[in-house]
Amino acid sequence: MLWSSIQIRRAGDEVEAQPGFFEGDTVAHCGPTLKGEFARTLNLTDVHTGWVFTASARNNAHVRILEGLKTGVEQVPFAVTGLDFERAVLNRLWALVNDRFNYLTPTKKPIGYGTDRNGRRTRLYDAPATPLQRLLAAKVLNPAQEAELVAYRDRLNPAAIGRQIADLQGVLLN
């Protein structure tokens, strides 16, 4: 009954303007390897107030994380109205980063070696181009695919993407 009253936010949903909507994450205490069993820490942070709840679990088993969530819901001194786990935030972030890089960010690519005026070996680079420009130049797409990708790029707003990336980074840092 308790779980049916807590909203699970989906990608693209707006952040609530009042207390009760929590971002959640787990942290593995495993050192440099994921082998074996190790403790996990569950962290819940209210988006509006910054109120936090933290608890450790024996491992990442579904039942252990649910126990931690239940304890958090019981111990937070106000109603928990929604949960959003960082993986969803990261996936929204990566989609924006991918678009900015693939469609809007020209980069130089190494193409070989040459020598400078002193005879030292130097790296040679091509002219800056976006990954989309390089893909189009490779002529591996059919005309419909090319048109679709170019139309998508033309709809992108670089300033809006930058603002959305900054907003999501802010969510991850809180």
Side-chain angles (χ1 to χ4, degrees), residues 22-168:
F22 283 78
E23 293 284 343
D25 198 3
T26 59
V27 177
H29 301 284
C30 59
T33 180
L34 290 173
K35 292 181 180 177
E37 185 172 81
F38 44 86
R40 297 274 183 155
T41 294
L42 169 68
N43 179 271
L44 302 174
T45 304
D46 179 65
V47 174
H48 186 76
T49 66
W51 188 276
V52 297
F53 169 81
T54 307
S56 291
R58 179 177 165 191
N59 55 36
N60 204 31
H62 183 76
V63 67
R64 306 258 189 250
I65 300 303
L66 285 177
E67 287 172 1
L69 286 171
K70 182 179 178 189
T71 301
V73 168
E74 292 169 353
Q75 290 187 9
V76 168
F78 50 94
V80 175
T81 59
L83 294 171
D84 186 10
F85 282 82
E86 296 292 352
R87 185 179 59 140
V89 174
L90 285 170
N91 284 331
R92 291 195 311 260
L93 175 66
W94 294 134
L96 293 166
V97 169
N98 291 341
D99 280 352
R100 183 168 65 178
F101 182 78
N102 290 326
Y103 292 94
L104 304 170
T105 306
T107 59
K108 295 190 294 185
K109 187 175 176 184
I111 57 172
Y113 289 94
T115 55
D116 66 11
R117 62 184 173 168
N118 298 321
R120 287 183 291 205
R121 188 175 179 186
T122 60
R123 192 75 143 141
L124 300 175
Y125 296 90
D126 66 358
T130 66
L132 174 62
Q133 289 168 325
R134 286 195 174 93
L135 179 62
L136 295 173
K139 300 291 185 196
V140 296
L141 302 174
N142 66 46
Q145 290 172 312
E146 286 184 9
E148 183 179 335
L149 291 174
V150 168
Y152 182 75
R153 182 216 38 217
D154 293 346
R155 288 191 307 269
L156 294 175
N157 180 330
I161 289 173
R163 284 190 299 273
Q164 291 170 331
I165 288 172
D167 290 346
L168 291 171

